[in-house]
């Protein structure tokens, strides 16, 4: 029996409490918040407040939640995490996927392809399914697909058998001390691989290449015909000049999702070459995750898309470039230290109008005015934002919520922001 502190009590922390209680350990919840939004199981003590992490030396183990930086816990005998526990005890091979955007979609596509081929696959991690909750159900012959954020990778002590590194761009610089720290946290996905393991990485991103270069495992680039990964040619997916299936089998929009599909197909074929005949079925079966360039509705000839997951400029650019014709993009939210110049330049090149919102709205509006991009600055909530977008949208236009910013200035999460956008759009008159 050990004395365990669960540091940070959200979805992951709640599952960690259940897991270590089930092992017979003594558990205490510690959280910097004064109050908790989730109920703690009866009999589990709590320590709350801004200085609660200052001295945790009495505990045998401190289990940090993913978003809590390890360096904030300076007095612990040993710092651990749910991700480390899962990797240490999982009996099945693990496919780990990281990157700045596209992780959830790529994980879901891998899962869909492998399931179509008859494999038992467990999809866990940052996508919203606590890994420790799934652990009892995982058998040796199964496959685990694990979405890994930089926060989960920060202090990981074991790398997955197959590591997938998608495109990386600056993000979470309000938490990570620098871009270098952010990239090196991501690089943990390959740090403990051996020569029999595999890293699959994006061919056109220098940070992805930098991470792959640190690996001693087998390296496969996707997105280019020059390597052993999947690429797109003539609206078909190919691998080493062999046709896999038409791109039209992919049921989700966006050129960036073609890249995600290339990563997913490559990964699926690496783990089991015999899945090739099932790739098309897997791609067709996946219709996208909520708030990821999801079509909402058409009102008065205007199409509305929810891409609230886009919390970086790069992901907003990718969404903007997924459409043609007249576009209105809703940009702004809480500040993560991002450079908005690239997305403003993309708006200029596309002739797109901008609705600037939230904490970063003033900065975005100023950049638009300097660049000659049409912009409307809105201070209100999502109903006012959608009304402003509608007022400047002609029939045939596309309105995209793709904020290039985090959501925490006005909303509980990117999902809450997206839900409020959907609600406001559906309330528009026909």
């Amino acid at each position: 029996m050990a004395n365990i502190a669960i540091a940070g009590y959200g979805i992951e922390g709640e599952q960690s409490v259940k897991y270590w209680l089930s092992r017979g350990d003594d558990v205490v919840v510690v959280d910097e918040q004064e109050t908790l939004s989730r109920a703690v199981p009866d009999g589990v003590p709590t320590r709350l407040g801004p200085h609660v992490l200052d001295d945790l030396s009495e505990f045998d183990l401190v289990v940090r939640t993913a978003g809590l930086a390890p360096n904030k816990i300076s007095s612990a005998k040993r710092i651990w995490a749910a991700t480390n526990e899962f990797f240490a005890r999982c009996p099945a091979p693990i496919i780990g996927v990281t990157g700045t955007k596209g992780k959830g979609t790529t994980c879901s596509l891998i899962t869909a392809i492998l399931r179509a081929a008859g494999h038992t696959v467990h999809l866990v991690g940052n996508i919203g399914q606590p890994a420790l909750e799934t652990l009892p159900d995982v058998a040796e012959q199964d496959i685990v697909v694990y979405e890994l954020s930089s926060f989960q990778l920060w202090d990981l002590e074991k790398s997955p058998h197959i590591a997938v590194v998608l495109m990386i761009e600056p993000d979470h610089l309000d938490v990570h001390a620098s871009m270098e720290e952010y990239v090196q946290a991501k690089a943990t996905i390959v740090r403990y691989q051996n020569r029999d393991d595999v890293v699959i990485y994006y061919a056109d991103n220098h940070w992805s290449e930098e991470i792959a270069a640190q690996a001693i495992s087998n390296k496969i680039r996707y997105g280019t015909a020059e390597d052993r990964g999947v690429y797109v040619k003539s609206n078909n997916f190919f691998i080493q000049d062999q046709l896999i299936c038409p791109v039209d089998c992919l049921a989700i929009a966006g050129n960036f999702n073609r890249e995600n599909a290339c990563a997913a197909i490559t990964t699926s074929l690496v783990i089991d070459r015999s899945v090739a005949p099932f790739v098309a079925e897997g791609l067709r079966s996946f219709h996208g995750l909520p708030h990821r360039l999801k079509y909402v509705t058409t009102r008065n000839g205007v199409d509305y898309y929810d891409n609230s997951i886009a919390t970086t400029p790069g992901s907003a650019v990718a969404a903007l470039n997924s459409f043609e014709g007249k576009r209105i993009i809703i940009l702004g939210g809480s500040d993560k230290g991002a450079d908005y110049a690239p997305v403003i330049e993309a708006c200029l090149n596309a002739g797109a109008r901008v609705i600037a919102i939230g904490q970063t709205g003033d900065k975005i509006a100023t950049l638009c005015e300097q660049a000659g991009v049409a912009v409307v600055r809105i201070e209100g909530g999502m109903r006012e934002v959608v009304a402003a977008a509608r007022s400047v949208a002609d029939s045939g236009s596309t309105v995209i919520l793709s904020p290039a910013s985090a959501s925490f200035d006005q909303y509980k999460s990117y999902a809450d922001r997206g839900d409020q956008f959907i609600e406001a759009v559906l309330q528009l008159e026909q």
Side-chain angles (χ1 to χ4, degrees), residues 105-317:
T105 295
T106 302
C107 285
S108 298
L109 287 169
I110 295 168
T111 301
I113 293 167
L114 293 176
R115 285 177 177 168
H119 288 283
T120 299
V121 186
H122 305 275
L123 177 56
V124 302
N126 198 56
I127 199 164
Q129 174 59 41
L132 292 181
E133 184 177 31
T134 302
L135 184 58
D137 301 324
V138 180
E140 186 176 354
Q141 67 273 17
D142 297 347
I143 299 170
V144 172
V145 180
Y146 206 130
E147 181 184 342
L148 293 162
S149 70
S150 63
F151 301 149
Q152 289 166 308
L153 287 165
W154 228 327
D155 54 359
L156 190 64
E157 297 183 6
K158 184 178 180 181
S159 295
H161 169 54
I162 298 178
V164 184
V165 185
L166 309 177
M167 186 191 75
I168 292 174
E169 62 173 323
D171 196 15
H172 298 303
L173 298 183
D174 55 335
V175 178
H176 288 286
S178 64
M179 185 62 188
E180 180 181 3
E181 181 187 286
Y182 174 62
V183 173
Q184 288 310 305
K186 294 281 191 187
T188 309
I189 198 170
V190 301
R191 191 161 295 142
Y192 304 104
Q193 284 192 317
N194 61 44
R195 296 187 186 279
D196 295 326
D197 293 330
V198 181
V199 55
I200 297 163
Y201 67 101
Y202 185 43
D204 194 27
N205 180 262
H206 69 275
W207 282 308
S208 300
E209 290 183 325
E210 178 184 328
I211 290 172
Q214 299 180 37
I216 64 170
S217 54
N218 297 291
K219 300 176 179 64
I220 299 175
R221 292 186 300 165
Y222 69 90
T224 174
E226 299 173 358
D227 208 328
R228 294 171 291 154
V230 175
Y231 57 95
V232 174
K233 182 178 73 172
S234 303
N235 285 320
N236 290 289
F237 291 112
F238 280 85
I239 185 167
Q240 294 180 303
D241 292 327
Q242 294 183 347
L243 174 67
I244 300 171
C245 67
V247 167
D248 288 349
C249 293
L250 186 63
I252 49 179
N255 288 333
F256 58 94
N257 278 324
R258 294 184 175 192
E259 296 168 358
N260 293 333
C262 286
I265 300 168
T266 302
T267 306
S268 301
L269 292 174
V270 165
I271 203 162
D272 180 3
R273 193 75 182 191
S274 69
V275 306
F278 302 95
V279 168
E281 179 185 345
L283 296 182
R284 290 192 188 101
S285 70
F286 177 66
H287 295 279
L289 296 169
H291 313 299
R292 291 158 171 85
L293 206 62
K294 290 281 284 186
Y295 171 71
V296 178
T297 191
T298 300
R299 288 285 192 269
N300 299 308
V302 179
D303 295 333
Y304 292 85
Y305 283 83
D306 166 25
N307 195 42
S308 185
I309 188 68
T311 59
T312 66
S315 54
V317 170

Side-chain angles (χ1 to χ4, degrees), residues 304 355 378 381-393 424-425 428:
Y304 292 85
I355 308 296
I378 296 296
M382 198 54 77
R383 184 172 296 182
E384 290 77 17
V385 169
V386 168
R390 179 184 182 179
S391 70
V392 299
V425 168
L428 291 173

